[in-house]
Amino acid sequence: MSNQKKNDRMPTIGASRRSFIKDTGRLLAGGAIVSGGLAIPGNAHAHGSDLIKVGLIGCGGRGTSAADQALNTYGGEVRISAMADVFENNVQTAFRSLQGKHAGKVDNNRFVGLDAYSDILKSDVDVVILATPPGFRPLHFEKAIEAGKHVFMEKPVAVDAPGVRRVLAAGKEAERKGLAVQVGLQRHHEFRYQECIAKLHDGAVGEPIFARAYWNAGGVFKRPRRKGQTELEYQISNWYYFNWLSGDHINEQHIHNIDVINWVMNGHPLEAQGQGGREVRKDANSGQIFDHHMVEFAYHGGARLLSQCRHIPGCWTEVAEHIHGTKGYCNISDAKIFDLRGNLVWESETIEGNGKGWQQEQHDMFASLRRGETPNETEYAAHSTMTAIMGRMATYSGKIVKWHDAINSDLLLAYTDSLHSLNDPAPLWPNERGEYDVAIPGKTKVF
Ligand SMILES: NC(=O)c1ccc[n+]([C@@H]2O[C@H](COP(=O)([O-])OP(=O)(O)OC[C@H]3O[C@@H](n4cnc5c(N)ncnc54)[C@H](O)[C@@H]3O)[C@@H](O)[C@H]2O)c1
């Protein structure tokens, strides 16, 4: 296969054109922020080039891009039929941006508020994109499956063990109902990763002994408190810095690299121990998350993963995964394999730029739906999320954490089902100096 072909991989589209998607709901009033019920559709299926209607829940950076990428897919018509966000300006910005790129393919049905997601689920959309902060994912995913929607949801899929279990249960229900679930761990849809990991599974480096995974970077956005905001509004706006919303950056970002190692190892680790803390995150808008974590994970068979993630400007930056085996070494993110003497023995010829997976995962999802297939990525995504959470449990507690204890933990960081208005009490409150609880290894309890 030539590079060009690999890079422009076109999905195979089912040949039959059947009018399978029923227009069961009434259209929402155009041009206004509206709310209100639509008829609840039965299970949504698309075939051939039928129109697929998409609802976007969480209209920030990633949600807007995922909607754009869904509209770029081949093989049939796609519309963004409805959009929801807790903040009116975000839904408006996303609407303008998508309408600007895909004129005529974005309906002006916009919902605002903490319950806006349920208006999308009551509508006749076939697919929902869930791209809010991950603290809301278990609730939104469970309700989306209940409503009979195919789901594309962003990673991570939860922030705590009860959330992971809820997602696993909803994933099983999706399977039972024949609904597709795809997760934004896009490396699984990048050809270089697929090729390279297939080689590793074929024994290209022998038995895995040791892995390394990094997300060392300078940090992410900060959204300072604004005058007049309620505490809940502030936390949802500056969500990255609160565990009940993000699960800390080991979960939020480093999950990508941890997930690749789980993929190579064909499963999750059995235990973790590690350390971390806050060297530079000291200001009022830094919430409660650490700025560095270093975790050693132990897998079945004894292989270890050394994982590092750092959010400190001015340091060595690296986002990558590596594996060392009995017969050689693989730089997975560069798709290169070396023998034990350091000679390059295989290198992917595919030129696939960073971020290519974001488009490919949408091609793959929509092509599957048009073929009448319903892939379900819930389990590995939930296990990778749980692996990252287990790493956080290890760095927060300073203790060895076993998988069985971690995944059975009943420590729920927030009961998001009870949040309906930005005036509701926040799940977490600062002290009189405006500081939030930060984990102290040796003292903090994680179960
Ligand atoms: N796969 C990737 O490479 C990748 C890249 C970036 C982000 N993400 C993921 O996408 C998700 C969103 O990240 P982002 O960068 O777009 O953040 P963002 O802050 O830009 O967007 C989040 C949006 O969700 C909205 N929101 C918050 N709570 C909501 C609720 N309860 N109901 C409806 N809307 C709500 C916010 O107002 C905001 O518009 C995160 O899970 C993140 O990890 C994935």
Side-chain angles (χ1 to χ4, degrees):
M1 199 191 293
S2 75
N3 285 342
Q4 187 57 36
K5 268 196 178 147
K6 283 178 197 167
N7 294 342
D8 291 340
R9 279 182 301 149
M10 279 264 293
T12 322
I13 307 300
S16 73
R17 180 180 163 80
R18 289 195 274 150
S19 262
F20 224 82
I21 302 169
K22 294 211 175 69
D23 205 354
T24 49
R26 69 173 170 81
L27 270 182
L28 296 163
I33 305 290
V34 293
S35 67
L38 294 179
I40 299 173
N43 282 3
H45 289 279
H47 276 268
S49 57
D50 284 350
L51 167 65
I52 298 180
K53 295 183 183 176
V54 177
L56 172 61
I57 299 174
C59 303
R62 183 80 270 274
T64 308
S65 298
D68 172 32
Q69 284 140 4
L71 287 167
N72 287 339
T73 56
Y74 314 110
E77 200 185 337
V78 177
R79 293 190 76 77
I80 304 300
S81 295
M83 301 167 64
D85 198 282
V86 71
F87 298 122
E88 185 171 338
N89 58 339
N90 292 5
V91 80
Q92 281 178 346
T93 304
F95 174 75
R96 277 199 297 271
S97 157
L98 290 168
Q99 177 68 12
K101 283 187 182 166
H102 302 275
K105 293 188 172 179
V106 188
D107 295 324
N108 198 1
N109 304 317
R110 294 177 273 159
F111 300 92
V112 170
L114 276 167
D115 286 334
Y117 78 94
S118 61
D119 291 308
I120 300 271
L121 298 182
K122 284 180 212 147
S123 78
D124 67 344
V125 299
D126 308 292
V127 174
V128 286
I129 295 173
L130 306 182
T132 67
F136 292 105
R137 200 88 72 243
L139 167 68
H140 291 176
F141 178 48
E142 181 187 272
K143 299 296 177 199
I145 298 303
E146 261 175 43
K149 308 300 182 189
H150 299 294
V151 172
F152 172 81
M153 61 176 159
E154 264 308 336
K155 45 47 65 172
V157 300
V159 296
D160 52 27
V164 169
R165 297 198 299 269
R166 192 172 181 182
V167 164
L168 282 166
K172 287 263 175 266
E173 184 60 7
E175 209 173 293
R176 200 187 63 75
K177 286 184 155 183
L179 296 168
V181 182
Q182 207 167 290
V183 181
L185 289 162
Q186 68 273 9
R187 285 161 177 73
H188 287 259
H189 294 268
E190 291 179 22
F191 192 67
R192 283 160 65 86
Y193 274 94
Q194 291 172 351
E195 259 185 310
C196 186
I197 291 177
K199 289 208 165 286
L200 294 173
H201 287 163
D202 277 350
V205 300
E207 284 300 312
I209 301 170
F210 179 62
R212 293 177 286 127
Y214 306 98
W215 193 297
N216 286 338
V220 295
F221 65 81
K222 201 168 270 179
R223 295 171 182 147
R225 195 184 287 275
R226 290 197 315 275
K227 212 169 159 209
Q229 277 182 321
T230 64
E231 181 61 29
L232 182 60
E233 187 176 357
Y234 165 64
Q235 289 184 22
I236 292 177
S237 164
N238 198 28
W239 62 269
Y240 213 100
Y241 297 88
F242 297 98
N243 279 329
W244 72 272
L245 285 157
S246 73
D248 203 317
H249 67 108
I250 189 172
N251 184 46
E252 231 295 312
Q253 260 178 337
H254 191 35
I255 184 179
H256 281 299
N257 320 102
I258 290 172
D259 168 65
V260 167
I261 304 301
N262 280 1
W263 182 9
V264 172
M265 300 288 196
N266 285 314
H268 58 74
L270 302 179
E271 63 177 49
Q273 68 82 21
Q275 47 190 294
R278 277 158 69 102
E279 284 299 321
V280 297
R281 286 208 156 123
K282 312 242 187 233
D283 67 291
N285 290 301
S286 285
Q288 52 175 178
I289 66 171
F290 280 5
D291 54 27
H292 63 285
H293 302 253
M294 191 147 112
V295 184
E296 183 184 326
F297 292 96
Y299 285 80
H300 182 74
R304 294 283 198 275
L305 159 64
L306 182 67
S307 110
Q308 286 183 16
C309 58
R310 179 170 54 211
H311 274 187
I312 302 182
C315 302
W316 175 59
T317 59
E318 179 78 341
V319 176
E321 308 90 24
H322 306 262
I323 183 114
H324 303 258
T326 49
K327 290 189 190 157
Y329 149 70
C330 175
N331 181 329
I332 308 169
S333 27
D334 275 0
K336 286 183 180 165
I337 295 179
F338 302 84
D339 66 18
L340 287 174
R341 291 202 168 83
N343 302 310
L344 181 69
V345 293
W346 175 81
E347 178 177 13
S348 171
E349 289 173 9
T350 309
I351 301 158
E352 203 165 36
N354 194 12
K356 205 59 179 171
W358 290 318
Q359 184 57 68
Q360 190 60 44
E361 66 191 353
Q362 299 298 336
H363 283 321
D364 291 349
M365 170 138 179
F366 282 81
S368 296
L369 290 175
R370 294 184 186 288
R371 288 194 300 264
E373 294 169 5
T374 52
N376 190 327
E377 299 183 342
T378 312
E379 187 172 284
Y380 82 73
H383 284 171
S384 291
T385 300
M386 192 62 233
T387 306
I389 292 170
M390 179 166 76
R392 184 191 73 215
M393 288 170 159
T395 60
Y396 278 16
S397 67
K399 302 210 162 51
I400 293 177
V401 178
K402 307 256 185 218
W403 177 266
H404 176 81
D405 298 327
I407 197 164
N408 289 308
S409 160
D410 284 328
L411 192 72
L412 181 73
L413 298 184
Y415 185 58
T416 50
D417 301 44
S418 69
L419 300 175
H420 300 288
S421 150
L422 292 173
N423 292 315
D424 287 342
L428 174 79
W429 285 84
N431 65 19
E432 60 287 352
R433 292 187 300 282
E435 299 158 344
Y436 298 88
D437 268 350
V438 175
I440 304 173
K443 291 192 176 163
T444 294
K445 295 211 179 323
V446 291
F447 300 117

